[in-house]
Amino acid sequence: MFNNSNYHQGNDGVWAKEQAVAFGYSDGDENEDRLLSILKSAGDISANSRELQFYQTDWPSIYHLSSLRGNLLRPFLGHFSSGKSVLELGAGCGAITRFLGETGASVVAVEGSRKRASIISERCRNLPNVCIVSDLIQSFESDEKFDVVTLIGVLEYAPVFIEGETPVETLLKLAKSFLKPSGMLIVAIENKIGLKYFAGAPEDHIGLPMFGINNSYSARTPITLGRQELLNEITKIGLEHTQLFIPLPDYKTPITILYPASLSIQNNKLGWDASPLLIASVAADVQRNYLPNFSQEMAWQSISNNGLIGDLANSFLFSASENQIEFQDNVLAMHYGVQRPSMYARESQFVVSENRILVGTRPTKMKTLFNDNPWKYSEYIPGTFWFTEMIRVINGASFKTLN
């Protein structure tokens, strides 16, 4: 599967060069040792593992073990089928790698840290279609091109680890160099002017509120980008065809994905309103450990009404390619309930059909990523949730108290 004479496979199953270059990124030895110990002792290490939920007691363990991680890539399942090849650049501790491996695609996961690469190896120990390589992205070598290349939570670190005056562009060019002519690049990253950051959430990498909004990044700090800035960087390298998906509450632990059609004014004319999904996602933010400056729930309603979802979303999920790639252009959004007990786990989709909107639901198959259960459709009824009205009343009472 992976064949390059410069790499040799170690006893931990990881491929590496004889003279490995040190990589400075880590979640801390204590956290990474715990992850490795958990995975070695776990019987069910699948992407939707119920067993691993019991070990998710803090942010590092949630981020690296949660079944929500894989939801990010569910819109692209058709591109990861058997016979396809995927290159994951900056694979971390393997949550996304495991998801990709279960699709049946041939997966090469590149991770700079040898320790983290060994964690990926343990997470994917029963997936022969997954190959783990410990190497820096900028020194990784491959004799093949790939159908899909991913940069998930990676591009923001380009200024820290990539040399040169334009590290973001350099990293994107590197990623593109591994693509087949018909291939697709997938990029997921925080939005520096996302709504949660205006509400007071600390910048994810620096840990200070308003840091990204004020554009306080330096030449050697991690950096996040706004929608247009990121789009400019992607199209600059020749990937002219882009699609913007919105993961909610963010790309890290998404429960909902808004598809490109969800942002279309034309579909709003049919009665489509994404704000209930946006409002529900606020409470689902696992990192919501700050006192907000305002009600994000109420703000999402105004943002949706004014067509600004794509600009103020907390995270972006872009697909990019040289040539047009077909997606289900009638799908507005998908919502996933994979964290529920298996008997209650369901997924829902919102679709446009013959100039009307339908809602489909079906049970989630926990043992496989591919779901052939039939959809049960009903008419989409726009309206306001009682929860939203309660939030409105509470906020109204707060303003009356202030006055």
Side-chain angles (χ1 to χ4, degrees):
M1 188 177 82
F2 178 72
N3 184 22
N4 188 292
S5 59
N6 291 328
Y7 295 89
H8 305 278
Q9 192 173 28
N11 295 330
D12 56 0
V14 176
W15 293 80
K17 295 175 180 176
E18 292 291 343
Q19 299 295 324
V21 179
F23 181 66
Y25 187 88
S26 170
D27 279 326
D29 288 341
E30 183 178 350
N31 289 321
E32 293 181 358
D33 288 342
R34 178 173 179 253
L35 285 172
L36 186 58
S37 175
I38 289 169
L39 292 171
K40 283 185 174 180
S41 63
D44 181 4
I45 53 174
S46 66
N48 288 337
S49 172
R50 293 285 296 164
E51 180 181 350
L52 293 180
Q53 286 190 28
F54 296 103
Y55 297 102
Q56 296 169 32
T57 56
D58 54 16
W59 174 240
S61 58
I62 292 171
Y63 184 67
H64 294 301
L65 299 176
S66 174
S67 59
L68 296 177
R69 294 290 309 283
N71 288 343
L72 183 74
L73 295 181
R74 289 183 184 274
F76 311 103
L77 272 177
H79 300 273
F80 301 140
S81 57
S82 179
K84 297 289 187 177
S85 58
V86 182
L87 174 63
E88 183 188 10
L89 296 175
C93 292
I96 296 294
T97 316
R98 179 72 206 194
F99 181 92
L100 289 169
E102 290 184 20
T103 67
S106 174
V107 180
V108 175
V110 179
E111 170 53 42
S113 162
R114 181 59 182 259
K115 188 170 188 176
R116 289 158 74 88
S118 67
I119 295 172
I120 304 173
S121 183
E122 194 62 45
R123 183 71 192 267
C124 300
R125 61 179 182 254
N126 57 352
L127 295 175
N129 56 315
V130 175
C131 175
I132 299 96
V133 178
S134 180
D135 198 0
L136 303 180
I137 294 174
Q138 59 268 40
S139 60
F140 172 67
E141 302 172 52
S142 175
D143 297 328
E144 66 170 316
K145 302 293 185 180
F146 297 84
D147 294 296
V148 179
V149 175
T150 71
L151 287 170
I152 298 174
V154 174
L155 190 62
E156 48 266 60
Y157 293 100
V160 180
F161 296 108
I162 303 294
E163 297 292 334
E165 295 183 2
T166 57
V168 170
E169 181 181 350
T170 299
L171 181 51
L172 286 170
K173 283 181 176 178
L174 272 171
K176 181 190 175 187
S177 72
F178 296 115
L179 277 177
K180 293 179 180 179
S182 60
M184 174 175 61
L185 175 66
I186 297 175
V187 179
I189 188 173
E190 299 90 347
N191 174 15
K192 73 179 184 183
I193 54 172
L195 181 66
K196 66 187 288 184
Y197 304 112
F198 280 106
E203 201 276 349
D204 293 74
H205 314 94
I206 309 300
L208 297 175
M210 303 299 165
F211 194 90
I213 291 172
N214 290 334
N215 204 35
S216 298
Y217 304 109
S218 71
R220 302 306 296 174
T221 63
I223 185 173
T224 54
L225 305 165
R227 181 189 61 82
Q228 192 60 52
E229 290 172 323
L230 180 55
L231 185 61
N232 291 345
E233 292 287 351
I234 292 173
T235 56
K236 189 190 303 181
I237 65 166
L239 299 180
E240 298 289 340
H241 296 275
T242 62
Q243 295 268 23
L244 173 60
F245 298 77
I246 303 295
L248 304 173
D250 55 32
Y251 83 83
K252 298 169 185 176
T253 54
I255 60 170
T256 301
I257 306 289
L258 299 183
Y259 279 55
S262 183
L263 307 179
S264 167
I265 295 176
Q266 188 63 39
N267 291 323
N268 291 346
K269 294 178 181 178
L270 296 177
W272 170 244
D273 180 8
S275 62
L277 294 171
L278 291 157
I279 290 168
S281 74
V282 175
D285 185 354
V286 180
Q287 292 182 287
R288 197 183 183 194
N289 56 356
Y290 57 94
L291 185 64
N293 299 326
F294 54 80
S295 169
Q296 294 175 67
E297 291 90 348
M298 291 297 95
W300 275 128
Q301 182 73 67
S302 297
I303 290 167
S304 178
N305 291 344
N306 287 279
L308 294 172
I309 295 173
D311 293 291
L312 294 173
N314 295 324
S315 291
F316 302 125
L317 173 62
F318 267 103
S319 69
S321 57
E322 289 188 18
N323 304 302
Q324 187 71 46
I325 293 178
E326 297 299 325
F327 288 99
Q328 291 178 284
D329 57 6
N330 69 320
V331 178
L332 297 166
M334 293 288 298
H335 178 77
Y336 304 103
V338 296
Q339 287 289 82
R340 299 176 180 176
S342 56
M343 68 183 74
Y344 302 116
R346 305 186 69 80
E347 57 186 21
S348 304
Q349 70 169 195
F350 301 80
V351 298
V352 177
S353 177
E354 299 178 348
N355 286 324
R356 60 183 185 143
I357 299 174
L358 301 177
V359 183
T361 60
R362 65 182 178 182
T364 299
K365 285 194 171 181
M366 301 303 292
K367 297 300 182 182
T368 176
L369 304 180
F370 296 95
N371 193 349
D372 56 4
N373 286 325
W375 291 102
K376 292 185 178 180
Y377 287 100
S378 59
E379 198 76 23
Y380 169 77
I381 302 174
T384 304
F385 289 135
W386 284 114
F387 173 76
T388 305
E389 286 302 312
M390 181 185 71
I391 294 293
R392 190 186 308 279
V393 169
I394 291 172
N395 278 275
S398 298
F399 282 118
K400 287 178 182 178
T401 301
L402 289 174
N403 292 330

